[in-house]
Amino acid sequence: MADAKVIPFDDDRSRGGAATPRPGRRRPLLGGTRRRNGEGAVSPLPGPQAAGTASAAAPDGPEEARGETAGGRGGESGGAARGDWERRIAGGLAFLRRRVTGEYEVDEFGYDEELTDQVLMSLLRPLYENYFRVEVKGIENIPSEGGALVVANHSGVLPLDGLMMQVAVHDNHPAGRHLRLLAADLVFMLPVVNELARKAGHTLACAEDAERLLQRGEVVGVMPEGFKGIGKPFSERYKLQRFGRGGFVSTALRAGVPIVPCSIVGAEEIYPMIGNVKTLARVLGIPYFPVTPTFPWLGPLGALPLPTKWTIQFGEPIPTDGFPPEAAEDPMLMFNLTDQVREQIQHTLYKLLVQRRSVFF
């Protein structure tokens, strides 16, 4: 198999700067279509003579006329559906050919945009749309171009909230932007997860990688609570943990990009964590070993998340481009901005919790 082509990091195809924003996800239209003439315009209605000819050739009974019309429309609809399936099959075969021959591109971080759009997002979308039924608010607060740092709360035992946030940006942003998540070291130590994370655009949660992505004009997502957020007990749900030392604020200040707070409601209840077997966690080398009402009692079935109703809200962006370059080294400024972001996320969480009718509906 041939090697994939690597995109230079300063390639003009970046989505920042002068890049042309990608359109949002488009769904193919099924059903009947109107016939068009050879130049692509809608065929004109028949004139008087044609109308007379059509009338003379029409069947005598209304039943026959209705049957003939229905048959014609059914034929058009069937032809359109067949054409749509043919296009899908042709596109799928072309995709497989590019994967086999290595005629696809990845950037320096291993991000494979084509694989993400056509495969990974398609696998996550049923979970996003039908299982968690995610409702997105404030997507317009993410800029249409240029870099932005999305800061969100973290919860749920498994980091499904990051993946759902990625689908939310990909499918709902008017400019079709992609979210590049910063992930913990553990993600890149797991054999299969490591490759999938790289292909989906995730990278190590370090200031250097984050700053390079932001300066390139990417939308970067970070969850400062880390394992403290997803591993907290159910009794502390929706109570934000410490946001580290404010490293994400320093990165945003250096890159001069806005900080977009993001609040996620619904993820806390997918795995209600009622216990933590710390000894077993240390033996396995993982941050925690969760005990939920269904896991490990039901075995693999207990790993199935509860079908809660999610809401993801992107808040008003906090600009950072007005600060001087040396502001990134000011600990008091970083503390104040970190506290401002944390308070905005926490306040929005409480507001969303008051508004929701039920955990599952």
Side-chain angles (χ1 to χ4, degrees), residues 1-345:
M1 181 184 298
D3 293 330
K5 178 183 176 183
V6 177
I7 304 175
F9 197 71
D10 57 351
D11 198 333
D12 292 336
R13 295 183 59 192
S14 66
R15 287 176 293 283
T20 303
R22 297 178 63 255
R25 180 170 60 92
R26 295 187 295 271
R27 297 179 181 273
L29 297 177
L30 299 178
T33 58
R34 292 188 294 175
R35 295 185 179 275
R36 296 178 178 268
N37 59 25
E39 298 178 356
V42 178
S43 300
L45 294 175
Q49 294 180 351
T53 303
S55 176
D60 295 333
E63 292 80 3
E64 296 180 17
R66 283 196 298 269
E68 184 175 326
T69 303
R73 291 177 181 173
E76 284 191 22
S77 176
R82 284 194 299 271
D84 181 70
W85 278 108
E86 289 174 358
R87 286 191 296 271
R88 289 187 181 185
I89 293 173
L93 292 175
F95 172 78
L96 291 176
R97 180 187 61 79
R98 289 192 296 272
R99 307 315 294 186
V100 171
T101 60
E103 297 176 4
Y104 58 93
E105 299 173 338
V106 296
D107 69 7
E108 290 187 358
F109 295 95
Y111 174 49
D112 189 332
E113 183 175 344
E114 182 186 48
L115 182 69
T116 300
D117 288 350
Q118 298 194 23
V119 178
L120 300 182
M121 289 295 108
S122 298
L123 294 175
L124 292 172
R125 199 164 287 126
L127 193 66
Y128 172 90
E129 294 180 346
N130 303 321
Y131 198 79
F132 294 134
R133 296 147 291 146
V134 181
E135 178 183 1
V136 179
K137 299 180 179 180
I139 191 68
E140 67 279 358
N141 288 319
I142 297 178
S144 298
E145 57 183 17
L149 183 65
V150 178
V151 182
N153 60 304
H154 208 10
S155 62
V157 176
L158 293 180
L160 296 178
D161 50 359
L163 298 177
M164 295 300 102
M165 185 169 64
Q166 186 179 14
V167 180
V169 175
H170 180 274
D171 286 4
N172 293 277
H173 197 279
R177 304 209 66 178
H178 292 78
L179 182 66
R180 307 289 293 271
L181 290 172
L182 302 179
D185 301 5
L186 180 61
V187 172
F188 302 101
M189 294 170 60
L190 302 175
V192 178
V193 176
N194 172 30
E195 291 297 323
L196 291 177
R198 289 290 184 187
K199 294 290 186 182
H202 307 169
T203 190
L204 190 64
C206 64
E208 293 77 12
D209 285 359
E211 189 173 348
R212 290 170 65 195
L213 287 170
L214 290 171
Q215 290 176 345
R216 183 176 170 82
E218 300 282 1
V219 179
V220 178
V222 62
M223 294 174 163
E225 292 177 281
F227 290 120
K228 300 186 301 292
I230 58 176
K232 63 177 177 287
F234 187 66
S235 59
E236 298 181 13
R237 59 192 180 279
Y238 298 113
K239 295 179 182 178
L240 293 182
Q241 305 299 301
R242 191 170 65 90
F243 268 23
R245 301 177 182 177
F248 68 92
V249 171
S250 176
T251 301
L253 287 170
R254 287 192 177 91
V257 300
I259 300 173
V260 181
C262 177
S263 303
I264 304 174
V265 166
E268 293 275 13
E269 295 88 1
I270 60 174
Y271 295 111
M273 186 169 166
I274 58 177
N276 178 18
V277 186
K278 296 182 180 179
T279 303
L280 186 56
R282 285 195 295 269
V283 171
L284 297 176
I286 56 180
Y288 51 85
F289 186 89
V291 177
T292 73
T294 59
F295 183 83
W297 325 114
L298 300 182
L301 187 61
L304 187 68
L306 296 178
T308 58
K309 175 73 170 63
W310 287 34
T311 300
I312 299 178
Q313 178 162 336
F314 298 94
E316 291 286 338
I318 300 173
T320 63
D321 53 355
F323 295 97
E326 59 272 14
E329 308 298 331
D330 185 349
M332 186 58 65
L333 176 61
M334 285 194 295
F335 174 81
N336 290 335
L337 285 177
T338 301
D339 191 59
Q340 179 182 352
V341 174
R342 188 180 182 278
E343 287 299 319
Q344 186 169 337
I345 295 174

